[in-house]
Amino acid sequence: MRRPLISGNWKMNLNHYEAITIVQKLVYTIPNETYETVDVSVHPPFTDIRSVQTVIEADSLDIFLGAQHCHWDDHGAYTGEISPVFLAKLDVDYVVCGHSERRELFGETDEMVAAKVEAILRHEMLPIMCVGETLDEREAGVTEDKVLAQVRAGLADRSAEQVASLVIAYEPIWAIGTGRTATADDAQAVCAAIRSVVSTDWGSDAGAAVRIQYGGSVKSGNTTELMAMPDIDGALVGGASLDADEFARIVQFAAG
Ligand code: PEP
């Protein structure tokens, strides 16, 4: 049985004071028993991670700590980059990689994403690897070609055990931050195709175990419908995760 994972991607929002406030608000808004059926991660900007980690550890919170990306090398002359070693030292659990904003705005390639996936796993954290098509690609009917190629490229050289442990986030680019959501049936079809490729390339155990999130304008109003889909195991939530009450509602709807 796959545990759903709801992840809040705060992008370049919330300073460390605001981040602490939102985590504390989540704690008293989400009932403790919710964490029995759903995993929750928050992905603050790098400058907030230490503050959020302190709150999570001091109060033994059931929230997983996340990051939004990292470099693939441990150390070196990469001005402005963050090493996976630093994130592991802060007890980060999940690291988003290959987000479409990183791919489109900062030139991340499939090869870079694959190197990040390897580095994140090497430091005993779990990747949330994002894949997704543009509107032009969807309209041209090549959604699955694009997405499945990204899955194969990003996970190339990873073992079946590694693939079974990680998270793939299917995020149609045209649905991110636009208020447009893929219909639950369309999202399910792509997530099922992803699971099928994982089963074919890494074995049926990996296919059955890998968690696949949907991302793209997820709100409390569409969570139940998306989560009812057999191949959708959670959500990567951007805008709606900046509002603690709304994010808490999404978590609770995901818990069922
Ligand atoms: C995201 O940040 O990955 C995302 C899906 O954003 P939003 O929920 O705002 O569309």
Side-chain angles (χ1 to χ4, degrees):
M1 186 60 189
R2 297 181 298 269
R3 277 176 72 81
L5 171 66
I6 303 295
S7 304
N9 174 18
W10 295 347
K11 310 194 188 198
M12 199 174 74
N13 295 295
L14 306 178
N15 63 40
H16 65 290
Y17 293 115
E18 294 164 334
I20 289 171
T21 306
I22 209 164
V23 170
Q24 286 168 335
K25 203 164 173 196
L26 285 177
V27 171
Y28 61 76
T29 317
I30 301 172
N32 279 344
E33 58 271 21
T34 306
Y35 299 104
E36 288 167 17
T37 49
V38 67
D39 291 339
V40 179
S41 65
V42 292
H43 299 254
F46 287 132
T47 50
D48 303 1
I49 289 181
R50 174 71 174 137
S51 307
V52 173
Q53 181 228 13
T54 305
V55 175
I56 287 176
E57 287 194 357
D59 296 337
S60 304
L61 303 181
D62 285 324
I63 293 179
F64 289 102
L65 184 58
Q68 298 176 18
H69 92 114
C70 67
H71 200 269
W72 54 87
D73 268 353
D74 290 359
H75 304 283
Y78 301 109
T79 301
E81 283 293 325
I82 297 292
S83 162
V85 178
F86 307 159
L87 298 180
K89 191 76 181 164
L90 287 169
D91 295 332
V92 164
D93 301 291
Y94 291 95
V95 185
V96 174
C97 57
H99 192 282
S100 59
E101 288 153 16
R102 303 287 325 165
R103 292 180 190 259
E104 301 232 311
L105 303 175
F106 301 99
E108 281 189 14
T109 62
D110 280 339
E111 292 68 31
M112 292 176 185
V113 174
K116 289 175 185 218
V117 168
E118 187 279 326
I120 294 162
L121 288 165
R122 179 159 36 85
H123 291 289
E124 297 179 357
M125 300 177 287
L126 292 177
I128 298 177
M129 186 185 79
C130 303
V131 295
E133 81 286 3
T134 63
L135 190 55
D136 283 351
E137 289 162 342
R138 171 157 285 258
E139 286 172 350
V142 297
T143 296
E144 288 193 10
D145 294 344
K146 166 79 178 293
V147 167
L148 302 183
Q150 286 180 321
V151 170
R152 287 194 159 112
L155 302 182
D157 303 325
R158 302 283 58 83
S159 69
E161 290 71 24
Q162 287 178 316
V163 173
S165 72
L166 53 75
V167 182
I168 299 170
Y170 167 55
E171 298 209 301
I173 296 170
W174 48 270
I176 298 178
T178 58
R180 297 181 59 183
T181 323
T183 66
D185 285 338
D186 283 350
Q188 160 60 22
V190 180
C191 292
I194 293 172
R195 193 176 305 287
S196 168
V197 154
V198 170
S199 297
T200 304
D201 289 14
W202 287 274
S204 54
D205 287 351
V210 67
R211 287 188 289 177
I212 305 175
Q213 293 177 317
Y214 169 79
S217 298
V218 171
K219 300 181 275 302
S220 57
N222 54 26
T223 302
T224 303
E225 195 187 7
L226 288 162
M227 292 298 300
M229 294 292 148
D231 290 297
I232 299 180
D233 308 313
L236 183 54
V237 186
S241 71
L242 299 173
D243 175 338
D245 292 319
E246 173 66 353
F247 190 58
R249 278 193 290 274
I250 291 171
V251 169
Q252 288 198 254
F253 286 135

